[in-house]
Amino acid sequence: MKKKFLAIFIFCFVLSCSKDEDLTLPTTVDPDGSADVEVQDFMWKAMNFWYFWQENVDDLADDRFENTTEGRAEYTAFLDSENDPASFFVNKLQYIEDRFSFFNEDYRELTNSLAGISKSNGMEYGLVRFQDSEDLFGVVRYIIPNSNAATTTIKRGDLFTGVDGQTLTLSNYQQLLFTGNDTYTLNMAEFVNGSVSPTEEEIELTKEEALAENPILISKSFEIGGANIGYVMYNQFTNEYDGQLYSAIQALKSAGITSLILDLRYNPGGSVNTTRLLASMIYDTNTSNLFLRKRYNDKLQAQFNDNQLEVYFADKIDGETINSLGLDKLYVLTSASSASASELLINSLEPYMDVIQIGDVTRGKNEFSTTLVDDRDNSYLYTPSRVNKINPNNQWAIQPLIGRNENAEGFFEYTNGLQPDIFLKEDYGNLGILGDQNEPLLARAIQEITSETGKRDFTVYNPINIIGSSKMTNPMHNKMIDDTVYE
């Protein structure tokens, strides 16, 4: 049976069951009305229904609190057992193996971040720990165009060891880089004689409100050794840019490419629907081909039918017929920062085409999430058209993991990351220029396509083993958002 999808804004995480009346919420006890636990009550009820590990958390069991006077008192005391809603979520509701669920006390801030809008100075970087030390140094990965950083001299490959005169350490880097002042001064460093050493150079950066990043950083083609090769560096699955993504793919098709290198090394995830659309642009638009199958907790799984659990390849984007590249092989560049939707693309294409993964092991994030707010009549699902229905006394939103995606062959177990076919870490002593055919990861992919081994040495002398990055505090970090919905 042919499935028909809508491509919706990433805000609208309404799942494939798009009408709240399709879902049956359990009857649960309410807290004492005089207690200040409105946020915790919303969190418990939403997590009891949606959370993937609901049956693994004893305090989320359906029979945990009886719907009696005594049960009400016990439930109220439980909700009031932590000092604040954040602590309650983490300590009482979150499963021990859950690495990625999160929350925000303002749903607007969360949904803006999920849409690629955030406060940023435009410098994207990774953080590396000095050997046998608590000290860290930063490696600049790329600069977002039209940002504050783009107005300075800072560039890819630059190093820094401090902020405002303080050396970066495991204990202070979050305060200095993420939660401190919007304006700070980087204390720069250089790589000389095999070591990272501070210099006298300083660069001041300022974070800007609502900086929107176009995730399509580079799109170009090369003619090398008789091969016409397309290259796209794509840094987030953000569906506000689906149209531009399709235009970039179509430009490569018009250029006559016969091979495609998709660079996802810094892509932390995003929209499931965008992932499906990109896969369709690359491989095929046969809507009988299964892209993924969703698996929820047992309580939810029983409420969905196959049409609501199965997601197929797409043949249209915004009403326009997709003119696919029709490739049978794809080259994907990855790093430890490639996560969630990036991994989903690789895993869901594996049954249909030869996916050659080049780079580092991916993050290992195979669960998807959705945005939940205090709107019980809509099954707690965040829907832009219903913001006036959200409890005005509770603006909190939670983004819990609610399921896993299986590919057409039923495979989903890559918690330890997807292993590359060709292992090649980035080298902070030799990062190269993104999009340049001599940049190491891109050059290795080109070599694989053209079979021209030459004398290029790909030995990595200074591997980048990151302990964090500039995207750590962005809610899209390591997230896969289920935003597929049926007409």
Side-chain angles (χ1 to χ4, degrees):
M1 179 177 168
K2 185 177 179 180
K3 309 298 187 296
K4 204 173 181 183
F5 284 80
L6 294 171
I8 58 175
F9 286 110
I10 198 167
F11 305 138
C12 193
F13 311 135
V14 294
L15 302 172
S16 46
C17 186
S18 58
K19 298 179 181 178
D20 64 277
E21 59 263 28
D22 290 337
L23 298 173
T24 302
L25 292 174
T27 300
T28 54
V29 65
D30 291 323
D32 188 319
S34 63
D36 184 20
V37 291
E38 201 163 21
V39 176
Q40 292 91 324
D41 180 46
F42 145 68
M43 286 179 168
W44 189 90
K45 289 175 178 174
M47 291 284 278
N48 166 265
F49 186 65
W50 287 105
Y51 196 37
F52 183 63
W53 290 288
Q54 183 257 339
E55 63 185 36
N56 299 102
V57 180
D58 292 341
D59 283 330
L60 284 173
D62 292 340
D63 59 358
R64 173 67 175 84
F65 304 101
E66 294 183 2
N67 199 357
T68 63
T69 301
E70 293 77 10
R72 184 183 190 188
E74 184 183 2
Y75 180 56
T76 302
F78 171 72
L79 298 180
D80 201 26
S81 61
E82 295 287 342
N83 292 329
D84 54 74
S87 299
F88 176 75
F89 183 90
V90 172
N91 298 331
K92 292 297 194 291
L93 306 182
Q94 198 164 0
Y95 183 48
I96 190 171
E97 294 181 12
D98 179 0
R99 300 172 292 164
F100 300 112
S101 293
F102 66 103
F103 49 83
N104 195 296
E105 60 185 279
D106 187 339
Y107 73 86
R108 289 157 295 202
E109 181 179 328
L110 185 148
T111 52
N112 279 341
S113 296
L114 292 174
I117 301 171
S118 62
K119 180 184 277 189
S120 169
N121 55 38
M123 177 185 66
E124 297 297 336
Y125 57 87
L127 294 169
V128 182
R129 183 177 179 178
F130 283 103
Q131 188 173 1
D132 301 323
S133 172
E134 298 289 298
D135 293 349
L136 310 176
F137 65 92
V139 183
V140 179
R141 290 171 156 180
Y142 67 95
I143 302 299
I144 298 174
N146 303 313
S147 66
N148 174 258
T151 67
T152 73
T153 59
I154 201 162
K155 64 186 182 303
R156 173 174 170 80
D158 284 349
L159 307 175
F160 57 93
T161 54
V163 174
D164 292 333
Q166 297 186 62
T167 299
L168 286 171
T169 68
L170 285 171
S171 60
N172 71 11
Y173 77 91
Q174 294 194 45
Q175 170 63 28
L176 292 176
L177 290 168
F178 301 137
T179 61
N181 297 326
D182 286 346
T183 296
Y184 57 69
T185 298
L186 291 179
N187 306 118
M188 306 304 291
E190 60 183 355
F191 183 70
V192 179
N193 298 324
S195 63
V196 177
S197 303
T199 67
E200 297 298 317
E201 183 181 10
E202 296 182 342
I203 297 178
E204 183 179 278
L205 298 174
T206 300
K207 297 177 184 177
E208 306 167 81
E209 290 282 359
L211 177 64
E213 177 184 356
N214 186 333
I216 311 156
L217 186 65
I218 303 170
S219 181
K220 62 193 301 186
S221 61
F222 310 92
E223 289 190 16
I224 303 172
N228 194 341
I229 303 168
Y231 171 77
V232 176
M233 183 164 206
Y234 187 56
N235 291 331
Q236 188 165 295
F237 288 85
T238 310
N239 66 8
E240 279 81 1
Y241 294 90
D242 286 351
Q244 292 184 44
L245 179 60
Y246 183 54
S247 295
I249 296 296
Q250 285 306 291
L252 295 176
K253 185 177 181 71
S254 297
I257 68 164
T258 52
S259 299
L260 177 64
I261 301 168
L262 182 62
D263 195 339
L264 301 178
R265 76 182 83 176
Y266 305 139
N267 191 317
S271 161
V272 170
N273 193 55
T274 295
T275 310
R276 178 183 68 103
L277 290 173
L278 179 55
S280 303
M281 296 174 203
I282 293 169
Y283 171 64
D284 190 56
T285 58
N286 185 342
T287 56
S288 295
N289 284 336
L290 182 67
F291 181 65
L292 62 85
R293 181 177 174 84
K294 305 174 187 180
R295 183 160 299 280
Y296 298 95
N297 65 43
D298 290 344
K299 181 165 57 179
L300 263 176
Q301 195 80 3
Q303 295 199 37
F304 293 127
N305 58 44
D306 286 347
N307 287 347
Q308 295 166 323
L309 294 172
E310 294 174 347
V311 177
Y312 289 75
F313 281 77
D315 59 359
K316 289 184 172 58
I317 176 171
D318 295 333
E320 181 181 353
T321 299
I322 294 174
N323 188 10
S324 174
L325 292 173
L327 299 174
D328 59 10
K329 184 179 288 189
L330 175 66
Y331 300 83
V332 183
L333 307 184
T334 64
S335 76
S337 295
S338 307
S340 63
S342 292
E343 295 167 306
L344 173 65
L345 182 80
I346 295 169
N347 189 50
S348 292
L349 283 174
E350 284 279 6
Y352 300 101
M353 64 190 305
D354 190 8
V355 181
I356 309 299
Q357 184 183 338
I358 301 169
D360 202 354
V361 181
T362 62
R363 181 69 173 90
K365 200 281 187 174
N366 57 349
E367 301 90 4
F368 58 86
S369 67
T370 198
T371 303
L372 303 178
V373 293
D374 198 353
D375 180 8
R376 185 174 174 83
D377 290 340
N378 198 44
S379 305
Y380 299 110
L381 292 166
Y382 172 76
T383 307
S385 61
R386 290 182 57 90
V387 293
N388 62 324
K389 304 293 186 181
I390 297 173
N391 180 356
N393 299 318
N394 176 17
Q395 303 299 297
W396 281 72
I398 59 176
Q399 191 81 21
L401 299 180
I402 63 170
R404 283 178 174 162
N405 289 319
E406 305 171 353
N407 69 13
E409 295 174 344
F411 180 72
F412 65 88
E413 190 50 67
Y414 48 90
T415 304
N416 294 324
L418 294 171
Q419 302 294 319
D421 300 284
I422 301 169
F423 184 78
L424 183 62
K425 280 181 171 287
E426 288 195 296
D427 185 329
Y428 58 81
N430 181 32
L431 271 182
I433 300 171
L434 291 173
D436 186 289
Q437 59 187 274
N438 293 308
E439 184 274 314
L441 266 66
L442 177 54
R444 184 63 185 86
I446 291 172
Q447 183 186 83
E448 190 69 14
I449 294 170
T450 61
S451 301
E452 295 181 358
T453 56
K455 296 182 179 180
R456 178 68 185 261
D457 181 9
F458 289 100
T459 302
V460 176
Y461 296 99
N462 310 284
I464 296 179
N465 298 306
I466 68 164
I467 60 95
S469 75
S470 49
K471 294 186 184 292
M472 285 176 60
T473 57
N474 188 319
M476 187 60 80
H477 183 242
N478 293 338
K479 301 302 179 289
M480 181 159 51
I481 311 302
D482 182 13
D483 59 344
T484 51
V485 61
Y486 290 87
E487 287 184 322

